Amino acid sequence: MPPEVPSIPPLWGPDPLPAAKTTAPKAAAPRDTAKDTAVRTASARTASARTASGEGPTEAFTAVRAAEVTQLAPQALVKDDNSAAVLAVFNAINSYRASLKLAPVKYHATVASLAQDWSDNIATREVIEHRANFWTDPRALNPDRGAGEVIAVRWDRDAAKLVDWWKSSPAHDAMLRDPRFNVIGVGITFTDGNWQTTPNRYTMWGVVNLFGYSTLPAGTVNSPGGAVTPPQPPATDVCTPLVKHQPPTWDLTNAAIRGPGDLVSVDPYGNLRDYPALGNGTFGPVRAVGKGFTGAKELFVTDWDRDGVFDVLSQQLDGRLLLYPGLVAGGFAAPVQLGGSGWQTMTVAVGTWCGNNRMPQILATNSKGQLYLYPNRGLAAVGIASSLGVTVPGQRLAMVDYDADGLQDLLAVESTGNLRLYRGSGMPAPKTETRPVVGTGWTDYSGLRSLRNVTGLNTTGIAGLTADGTIEYWDLSSGKFAGVTTVASGWGGFTLAQ
């Protein structure tokens, strides 16, 4: 039985990516094999959803020094047609992405030449290693939304099994499912390896380069050998609503949450409590409005389906995103899971970020601070994430119209306690400008909630829950912070819904 093959962690390009070289593509120069060593740890920088290198079923990789092996004779590379294997890898990757409701990747012959060149290179030298700075190679075609490389080897020619192995390794799997990537190139090399006679040669070597582009490069095709896709702008505006309608106006006296200024909390037993805003800067007596709100990392108050009744969106610690639709007669309908899982690692804000879409959307950052917009697709799922090309190093987010221009802005609490402002443009990406610090010491708050109508009709502000159980309110109606007032106390052990 063939022995288990060695593995190598994936290699990610840095974020942001530097500009690639613009000189004409050329073949890789010969390498000094005496100095080549197989890479054990990823020299990675970022990923949209990524685990630490070293994970995976066979990541206990024993390095193979090129100085300890001999250069293959030319006949060792078997120049059989690899087109079927390339197509098998491409189709397997897209089938997997389709199962995750991710957009398919496309193919580019120039990117493929980059992958094929490296596959031949490492197969010739019998060394499993990454090409340093592959994203700067002219054949990478100047990606601006991420870059990655995965490598695997096999003792047979079952190319689809290369993808199966990458899926089984969390670190490699994160690369296959990264929503930023929209173009790949596949390199497959066959050799005359035999596990009994040539233990370092293997039978098939596979390299896939994955890149993300805001605008697809000329020559992009839908699949290997497929029709050319002309250069195009980014995908359909993710801010465009599926439907436009005016929500009905209900008497919300009996509803769980009566207005956009209510303070909503969850006690340690999972009971949902509502403190109705009275419009004069004070709040009415607490009301018990729900039970069973356990296992939440964060809760958000929103009219997700724009039916005129406030809902609760729960970001669960187990990775699910649950929507509790509010009922006009009181309470909530049974929770609905929106899409898949994996939300437990994200930092989230919910609100009407898009100027032309009054349906709430989700802004979220991953562990590296990369900001994504998730469109609202109703009660079944959220839309595919769109990278906004911005890094927001915040440990807590809040969406509010800070500058009173009618558009939602993003406030990010940084680890230093600084509160940084990312002004909304009404479009997916925030305004391109210097990001001002608008507050300090904000790590004292364990929760933030954007509120309206607290001190009067159409007033805006933000409430924060301090470590000692005090609720402080900052008025923003003038387009800047107008001082802080204490509006509630005794909230120790409670979670403030955002």
Side-chain angles (χ1 to χ4, degrees):
M1 181 177 180
E4 188 175 41
V5 296
S7 66
I8 185 172
L11 179 61
W12 298 82
D15 184 30
L17 286 168
K21 297 177 182 178
T22 57
T23 54
K26 61 182 180 180
R31 302 284 296 270
D32 181 355
T33 58
K35 296 181 180 179
D36 283 323
T37 306
V39 178
R40 170 61 187 92
T41 57
S43 57
R45 295 293 180 267
T46 59
S48 69
R50 180 177 170 199
T51 55
S53 63
E55 296 185 7
T58 59
E59 301 259 336
F61 173 48
T62 302
V64 180
R65 292 190 60 86
E68 298 170 356
V69 298
T70 58
Q71 190 85 358
L72 289 186
Q75 61 268 28
L77 293 184
V78 180
K79 293 297 185 180
D80 289 348
D81 183 3
N82 68 354
S83 58
V86 167
L87 185 61
V89 169
F90 179 85
N91 287 340
I93 290 174
N94 269 339
S95 293
Y96 181 48
R97 289 173 67 93
S99 72
L100 301 172
K101 301 188 184 305
L102 295 172
V105 292
K106 298 182 184 295
Y107 201 75
H108 200 289
T110 302
V111 175
S113 71
L114 175 69
Q116 187 62 55
D117 173 72
W118 192 244
S119 181
D120 289 345
N121 186 305
I122 59 177
T124 300
R125 295 183 290 112
E126 295 183 352
V127 176
I128 305 175
E129 68 172 2
H130 288 291
R131 182 202 308 261
N133 302 320
F134 63 89
W135 53 88
T136 65
D137 189 291
R139 291 168 292 180
L141 302 177
N142 294 288
D144 60 353
R145 292 180 54 193
E149 182 176 88
V150 291
I151 297 174
V153 295
R154 289 191 62 80
W155 290 111
D156 58 31
R157 292 191 176 189
D158 191 344
K161 291 293 181 63
L162 296 172
V163 181
D164 289 341
W165 190 91
W166 289 323
K167 287 162 54 179
S168 72
S169 162
H172 297 77
D173 181 62
M175 191 169 285
L176 297 184
R177 60 168 64 218
D178 192 318
R180 299 174 302 164
F181 295 146
N182 51 12
V183 174
I184 69 171
V186 179
I188 297 292
T189 302
F190 301 127
T191 64
D192 62 357
N194 181 291
W195 65 273
Q196 294 175 314
T197 59
T198 55
N200 291 325
R201 190 168 299 173
Y202 311 111
T203 304
M204 180 174 61
W205 301 64
V207 175
V208 176
N209 287 119
L210 306 94
F211 296 118
Y213 304 92
S214 295
T215 300
L216 293 178
T220 300
V221 296
N222 294 323
S223 65
V228 172
T229 300
Q232 54 185 285
T236 303
D237 186 359
V238 294
C239 278
T240 302
L242 292 179
V243 295
K244 293 184 178 181
H245 71 277
Q246 183 67 27
T249 300
W250 299 104
D251 179 353
L252 297 180
T253 301
N254 296 321
I257 302 169
R258 293 175 176 172
D262 288 13
L263 291 172
V264 180
S265 69
V266 176
D267 68 20
Y269 307 100
N271 299 311
L272 194 70
R273 304 154 64 96
D274 176 73
Y275 301 76
L278 301 181
N280 60 359
T282 64
F283 297 84
V286 61
R287 303 162 56 234
V289 295
K291 297 180 179 180
F293 288 83
T294 57
K297 177 182 178 181
E298 300 286 356
L299 293 174
F300 304 88
V301 176
T302 180
D303 184 6
W304 183 258
D305 53 0
R306 199 161 160 77
D307 65 350
V309 184
F310 291 98
D311 313 311
V312 171
L313 192 63
S314 178
Q315 180 190 8
Q316 295 291 104
L317 291 169
D318 64 9
R320 294 177 298 158
L321 192 64
L322 300 180
L323 178 71
Y324 293 81
L327 302 174
V328 69
F332 299 89
V336 177
Q337 182 173 345
L338 299 183
S341 58
W343 289 91
Q344 71 274 22
T345 62
M346 308 292 281
T347 302
V348 173
V350 180
T352 51
W353 178 252
C354 295
N356 66 336
N357 186 350
R358 306 323 296 164
M359 300 287 284
Q361 304 98 41
I362 296 174
L363 288 179
T365 57
N366 60 18
S367 60
K368 300 299 181 182
Q370 295 160 318
L371 184 64
Y372 293 88
L373 174 64
Y374 293 82
N376 186 329
R377 294 294 181 255
L379 298 182
V382 291
I384 296 173
S386 294
S387 172
L388 302 188
V390 177
T391 299
V392 180
Q395 60 187 41
R396 184 170 296 281
L397 303 176
M399 206 185 302
V400 64
D401 182 9
Y402 178 90
D403 55 5
D405 67 349
L407 299 174
Q408 293 290 290
D409 307 305
L410 188 66
L411 293 173
V413 180
E414 300 176 345
S415 59
T416 60
N418 287 343
L419 184 68
R420 195 171 298 276
L421 173 64
Y422 297 77
R423 291 201 302 153
S425 63
M427 303 298 288
K431 291 182 178 180
T432 302
E433 60 184 9
T434 301
R435 317 293 185 190
V437 172
V438 295
T440 58
W442 281 66
T443 48
D444 291 344
Y445 293 123
S446 63
L448 296 174
R449 165 134 163 79
S450 172
L451 299 172
R452 289 191 296 113
N453 303 341
V454 170
T455 57
L457 186 64
N458 297 324
T459 57
T460 300
I462 192 165
L465 173 60
T466 66
D468 65 2
T470 298
I471 296 288
E472 296 180 340
Y473 178 74
W474 298 78
D475 191 271
L476 281 169
S477 301
S478 63
K480 61 181 180 180
F481 286 130
V484 61
T485 57
T486 297
V487 296
S489 59
W491 281 50
F494 287 18
T495 298
L496 174 65
Q498 300 187 45

